[in-house]
Amino acid sequence: MSLDPHPNLTSSVIFGLGWLYLIQFVMNFAWTWRSLKKGTHHRVPKFFGGGEVPVAMWWGMYTALLSMVMIAHFTGFSSPERFLIQLPGWFKFFVDSFIADAKWYFGFCVGAFGLMIWFRRVLATETAGWLMLNGGVLFLTLSLTDWDFRQIVGKPDNVPIVAMLFIVGYFTWLYFNRSNENDDRIEAGLPPKEAEDNEKVLVWPDLVYTELICMIAVTAFLFFWGVALQAPLEEPASAVKTPNPSKAPWYFLGLQEMLVYYDPWLAGVVFPSVILGGMMAIPYIDFNKRGNGYYTFNERKFAVSVFMFGFLPLWVGMIVLGTFLRGPNWNIFGIYEYWDVHKLEALNNVNLSEYFWLYGLNTAMPTPASTDSGMRILGMILLRESPGILLTLGYLIAMPSIMAMTFLKQYAFRMGFIRFMVFSNLILMMAALPIKMLLRWAFNLKYLVAVPEYFFNI
Amino acid sequence: MAKKLTTEEILKMSRANKADQSDTAPAEPAAGAAAPAEDSAPAKEPAKPAAAPKGAADIMAAIRAKGAGGAEASSGKPEAKPAAAAAPKSPADIMAAIRGKGAGAAPAAAKPAAKKATAEASAGNLPPVGEMLAQLKAGKKPAAVEAPAKPTLKLPTRPAPKVAPQPTRRAFLLDVLLSPFALAWTVLAATTGAWVLMLARFMFPNMIVEPPTSFKIGPPSDFPLGTVSTKYTAANGIWIVHTNQYKGKDLIYVLASVCTHLGCTPSWLEGEQKFKCPCHGSGFYINGMNFEGPAPRPLERVGVALSSDGTLEVDKSVKFQEEKGQWEDAKSFVDGSIA
Ligand code: FES
């Protein structure tokens, strides 16, 4: 018996992982079969003797490896202390030291997003998709050998988020896969694929039957889920007691993450409304008639990239950050790191006005005297916060015209004044989150405009 | 049972029947002929017209007669008789006869047939408008006057009305109470009553009653310098702080345990000497000043004073905000040297 209270491996864990490997084995067995049927070959480099080998051979080898690993799990689970297949410590350390830092995490998200767009031709092929799926499942399986990872990923309320990651990945892949095909066709002067086989189906029975079957299947699945995974109920709510960490429902974790950088009235009221209103405004802003009813990337590069940037790194990425990385006291923890309540993270934050008056000008902040009248107090506050106010106004007023004169010239021209103003302000609002994050990480900047007297901070 | 009439057949028949109502005259001999086919009924001109049916109505009548007779000989016969007897007199009688036969055939056929037949039979009391019109056209009196009592009404197949025994008082009461009407009202009343009760219960939620806003927390000596007491946090939402880190003065004051960002309850971390909020990570020094995370303002103080019996008394109904200069207010602290 192990004395470790947080053992990385136990018999039941090893046995359970055996099932995960079994699933991967079956998956890849089918894939090997498919590859064999297709009969694709590829050349072996001269150095290894030249000639051609079937692609299925590689898949077969991987499948065989998986089967051996699976057998090892199903036979060796009785002695977890001597079980060898688990994540090496250096790997965990390496991953943790990057991911447990918001800068790196966010940089990674944005970088991955850029790479995805850049290499969409390669990544959206079937083979690449299969490799990524395999990689994701294998990473999950291996990571589950870590106690801390299991604590957070295995929580019943985090199961849908893990599922969501795979689903989001699949649909993104699907989108690029289809658009690549259509983009090729359009380039060759052909109509998009969807225009060619517009096979119409009947509402009854085709559609209604499908819907009925889906309804039943989903209901059955929810029943199964409800029985298999218990609802994570907590102690009764109390106004003077907050669980640590205290997390919003998973789909709101993006908003909660926003609250770290912005005042509640902005992150909790203004930004969510702008997100909702902005999404509704998209059809009225969009003047590009192409891409209607078929998948395409090349014909709507800007629209798709902007939307995806808002959705993938800024929304899904923040959900992942909030779910898996935020721990006690809302500190960031690595995925293999113990949730230590006493983890120390220095986060001394300074307002822009303090930077400006105290450090920049080396004078005292303009402070209203206690005898001052209301108007004078307001004037003093405005003077104190003037750098931030000017910056913010400049951002919202000057930036649209700069954008219209430089890289969005075409858009400004085609949209007209009002539409372009709405459009550019929506873009600026969206960009405000990463900008504020960068400022926080780079300069420990708390608020650009800080008027705590009137609960107004930006 | 030789032949059962299907619903379709019956429908067809009744449709044909209606279509031919204007042509009731030829049905007269037909009905007469159909009945004697079973037994020698006292019909005036029996055989000949039957041999050559003139129209659809004749055929229908014949079929019906056969259906009635063939399907259930025992019940068909007695019914056919009165029908046939009445037949020659007027078209209305013939109609009634047909109907009566239909009714006779029905129980033998099938349930829907029976329904149809009984429906028709009872409707026969007042002949349909079409029928009356047809009779008027033919220059005859409306059937309803001439045939007030139908043979169908006297059919033995209809159950005789039960003769209710004279109810006793108790039985009568029970009858009333168990009638569906009364039951429905009772259930409705009970449901509504339960609902109202639940509503009343809802007005008194299962909660901790708000503690008084003004209460004693013990003598100042309970709170030595450099400590934060979390003794009253869970119940009253306050920390009692004794520190000399706010402007260098030795003070005892009481902080509300409400984060100034979005209102979560931070925790006091003894090792780090700071208040840390679990919601978005705001941090506050022991003196209540915000220094990390998004909280824009220092924690708020509540009123505290030394009461006459030498203990400290907290008044949560007043708040003191540092950024408004209210921490200078004498009600927001007591001198720490008395501890
Ligand atoms: S509520 Fe305390 S940090 Fe947001």
Side-chain angles (χ1 to χ4, degrees):
Chain A
M1 273 271 93
S2 161
L3 294 177
D4 186 357
H6 303 150
N8 279 335
L9 285 177
T10 64
S11 295
S12 57
V13 167
I14 297 173
F15 195 75
L17 289 177
W19 283 98
L20 262 178
Y21 281 111
L22 177 65
I23 292 173
Q24 293 176 68
F25 167 73
V26 171
M27 261 165 53
N28 280 288
F29 190 84
W31 188 260
T32 312
W33 186 254
R34 179 182 178 275
S35 178
L36 203 64
K37 275 276 168 64
K38 273 177 93 181
T40 35
H41 286 63
H42 78 110
R43 298 200 63 80
V44 177
K46 268 265 154 45
F47 182 73
F48 295 105
E52 292 205 325
V53 290
V55 174
M57 187 188 86
W58 303 110
W59 293 117
M61 279 161 71
Y62 181 59
T63 311
L65 179 72
L66 281 174
S67 76
M68 287 189 293
V69 174
M70 173 189 80
I71 291 168
H73 278 75
F74 278 139
T75 53
F77 63 86
S78 48
S79 50
E81 305 83 18
R82 281 181 283 125
F83 200 76
L84 285 178
I85 303 169
Q86 54 177 305
L87 269 193
W90 59 264
F91 179 81
K92 296 185 194 175
F93 178 77
F94 178 77
V95 170
D96 276 354
S97 46
F98 281 107
I99 217 160
D101 186 333
K103 303 189 250 313
W104 280 103
Y105 173 77
F106 190 68
F108 172 78
C109 282
V110 175
F113 172 76
L115 287 179
M116 178 185 83
I117 300 245
W118 193 257
F119 290 111
R120 61 183 185 280
R121 287 272 152 193
V122 186
L123 291 177
T125 58
E126 283 175 5
T127 311
W130 188 256
L131 277 173
M132 286 189 290
L133 175 64
N134 258 309
V137 179
L138 190 68
F139 173 75
L140 185 70
T141 318
L142 281 173
S143 295
L144 281 172
T145 56
D146 182 80
W147 188 85
D148 295 301
F149 188 85
R150 277 206 304 280
Q151 295 317 297
I152 181 68
V153 173
K155 256 175 116 185
D157 36 352
N158 288 346
V159 170
I161 303 164
V162 177
M164 180 198 70
L165 290 183
F166 282 95
I167 293 168
V168 165
Y170 169 70
F171 281 110
T172 313
W173 177 86
L174 187 72
Y175 162 72
F176 278 114
N177 182 278
R178 296 278 164 88
S179 344
N180 285 347
E181 195 182 341
N182 274 346
D183 288 347
D184 286 343
R185 295 173 67 100
I186 291 163
E187 216 154 282
L190 295 167
K193 202 170 172 226
E194 287 87 345
E196 224 156 62
D197 62 352
N198 60 344
E199 207 183 283
K200 295 209 168 109
V201 295
L202 297 168
V203 170
W204 171 267
D206 301 78
L207 177 70
V208 177
Y209 251 66
T210 317
E211 281 177 351
L212 177 77
I213 289 168
C214 287
M215 218 165 76
I216 293 171
V218 168
T219 312
F221 173 70
L222 285 180
F223 267 108
F224 168 76
W225 187 347
V227 172
L229 297 178
Q230 294 309 304
L233 295 180
E234 293 173 21
E235 52 192 315
S238 161
V240 286
K241 210 163 163 209
T242 311
N244 191 8
S246 197
K247 294 194 180 184
W250 64 268
Y251 41 85
F252 280 152
L253 282 172
L255 292 182
Q256 192 172 5
E257 197 54 37
M258 215 136 79
L259 276 164
V260 174
Y261 304 95
Y262 280 103
D263 206 40
W265 72 272
L266 265 178
V269 181
V270 174
F271 283 154
S273 323
V274 169
I275 291 173
L276 286 179
M279 298 252 239
M280 289 185 232
I282 289 178
Y284 303 97
I285 292 170
D286 186 20
F287 58 81
N288 187 352
K289 292 266 188 306
R290 286 174 299 175
N292 196 346
Y294 56 93
Y295 290 98
T296 176
F297 180 80
N298 283 352
E299 293 196 338
R300 318 183 52 96
K301 274 189 180 133
F302 185 76
V304 171
S305 310
V306 169
F307 178 81
M308 275 197 171
F309 181 75
F311 181 61
L312 294 176
L314 286 189
W315 193 254
V316 177
M318 293 297 112
I319 287 177
V320 171
L321 174 63
T323 312
F324 299 122
L325 305 182
R326 289 292 190 179
N329 299 326
W330 214 243
N331 283 329
I332 294 197
F333 292 81
I335 44 178
Y336 309 116
E337 189 177 343
Y338 176 65
W339 273 20
D340 182 6
V341 188
H342 298 284
K343 174 170 178 167
L344 206 56
E345 234 181 304
L347 292 168
N348 285 27
N349 296 326
V350 187
N351 288 326
L352 181 66
S353 48
E354 289 162 354
Y355 272 124
F356 184 78
W357 298 104
L358 302 181
Y359 302 96
L361 299 183
N362 244 326
T363 55
M365 305 250 284
T367 355
S370 49
T371 52
D372 281 349
S373 68
M375 271 328 269
R376 214 185 126 71
I377 293 179
L378 192 65
M380 282 306 242
I381 289 174
L382 286 180
L383 175 65
R384 185 186 74 202
E385 300 302 330
S386 51
I389 292 174
L390 288 179
L391 257 181
T392 314
L393 287 180
Y395 178 71
L396 289 179
I397 292 170
M399 273 307 276
S401 25
I402 294 176
M403 281 156 80
M405 284 186 293
T406 55
F407 65 103
L408 290 180
K409 228 182 210 156
Q410 279 298 315
Y411 283 77
F413 182 68
R414 299 226 12 208
M415 281 179 178
F417 180 71
I418 293 185
R419 264 213 291 188
F420 184 76
M421 279 322 252
V422 173
F423 162 73
S424 52
N425 271 287
L426 285 176
I427 300 256
L428 289 174
M429 292 262 199
M430 187 171 100
L433 177 64
I435 289 177
K436 187 76 190 284
M437 287 163 115
L438 284 175
L439 289 175
R440 178 70 61 85
W441 298 327
F443 307 111
N444 280 329
L445 181 85
K446 185 188 271 180
Y447 289 117
L448 287 159
V449 178
V451 190
E453 293 90 340
Y454 298 106
F455 309 104
F456 181 91
N457 309 282
I458 296 173
Chain B
M1 306 228 167
K3 185 197 168 198
K4 285 191 177 179
L5 290 176
T6 66
T7 319
E8 253 168 67
E9 276 170 316
I10 291 162
L11 274 174
K12 217 190 278 166
M13 277 188 241
S14 63
R15 234 174 262 138
N17 198 5
K18 254 178 211 151
D20 279 326
Q21 305 242 313
S22 56
D23 194 23
T24 35
E28 204 172 321
E38 221 33 59
D39 64 337
S40 51
K44 295 282 171 331
E45 356 165 326
K48 256 152 211 163
K54 271 163 204 153
D58 301 26
I59 299 164
M60 292 312 304
I63 289 172
R64 224 170 266 129
K66 236 183 244 171
E72 206 175 312
S74 54
S75 74
K77 262 180 225 163
E79 277 157 34
K81 250 184 253 171
K89 269 168 197 145
S90 81
D93 291 23
I94 295 163
M95 291 313 298
I98 290 171
R99 249 180 238 119
K101 265 172 214 159
K111 261 191 189 165
K115 250 188 208 163
K116 181 87 193 163
T118 35
E120 229 175 88
S122 53
N125 289 339
L126 278 174
V129 183
E131 199 177 307
M132 292 204 278
L133 274 176
Q135 286 163 2
L136 280 173
K137 255 184 219 155
K140 289 178 183 174
K141 275 191 255 168
V145 185
E146 213 171 283
K150 300 272 160 182
T152 6
L153 287 179
K154 276 146 202 160
L155 281 181
T157 43
R158 294 199 76 165
K162 262 187 225 159
V163 182
Q166 194 64 26
T168 61
R169 196 174 278 185
R170 184 176 294 170
F172 174 74
L173 201 68
L174 213 67
D175 261 13
V176 168
L177 283 182
L178 287 181
S179 77
F181 189 70
L183 269 179
W185 275 106
T186 318
V187 170
L188 181 68
T191 319
T192 316
W195 188 77
V196 167
L197 281 179
M198 257 150 46
L199 196 72
R201 174 66 186 74
F202 181 75
M203 295 299 164
F204 302 94
N206 176 20
M207 54 147 202
I208 300 156
V209 182
E210 189 91 339
T213 53
S214 186
F215 49 92
K216 302 218 165 120
I217 54 172
S221 53
D222 283 3
F223 311 103
L225 182 66
T227 60
V228 170
S229 165
T230 54
K231 197 171 151 193
Y232 293 91
T233 313
N236 301 85
I238 53 163
W239 292 294
I240 301 106
V241 179
H242 186 180
T243 180
N244 54 12
Q245 288 188 26
Y246 184 70
K247 300 200 170 160
K249 281 181 256 169
D250 181 5
L251 301 175
I252 293 178
Y253 50 86
V254 179
L255 293 173
S257 66
V258 177
C259 180
T260 51
H261 180 230
L262 214 50
C264 292
T265 305
S267 1
W268 168 245
L269 303 179
E270 188 68 49
E272 292 84 354
Q273 288 286 302
K274 69 178 178 188
F275 302 98
K276 184 79 178 168
C277 183
C279 288
H280 314 95
S282 287
F284 306 86
Y285 290 127
I286 183 172
N287 57 17
M289 300 301 290
N290 53 324
F291 73 101
E292 62 178 6
R297 311 183 285 120
L299 293 169
E300 288 174 2
R301 281 187 194 172
V302 299
V304 64
L306 201 60
S307 65
S308 50
D309 60 359
T311 58
L312 290 174
E313 186 165 13
V314 173
D315 181 7
K316 274 187 76 183
S317 60
V318 283
K319 293 251 149 61
F320 301 93
Q321 292 174 230
E322 200 271 347
E323 72 278 7
K324 289 193 176 164
Q326 292 166 344
W327 279 19
E328 306 301 326
D329 195 313
K331 287 196 220 66
S332 74
F333 58 87
V334 294
D335 189 354
S337 54
I338 56 172

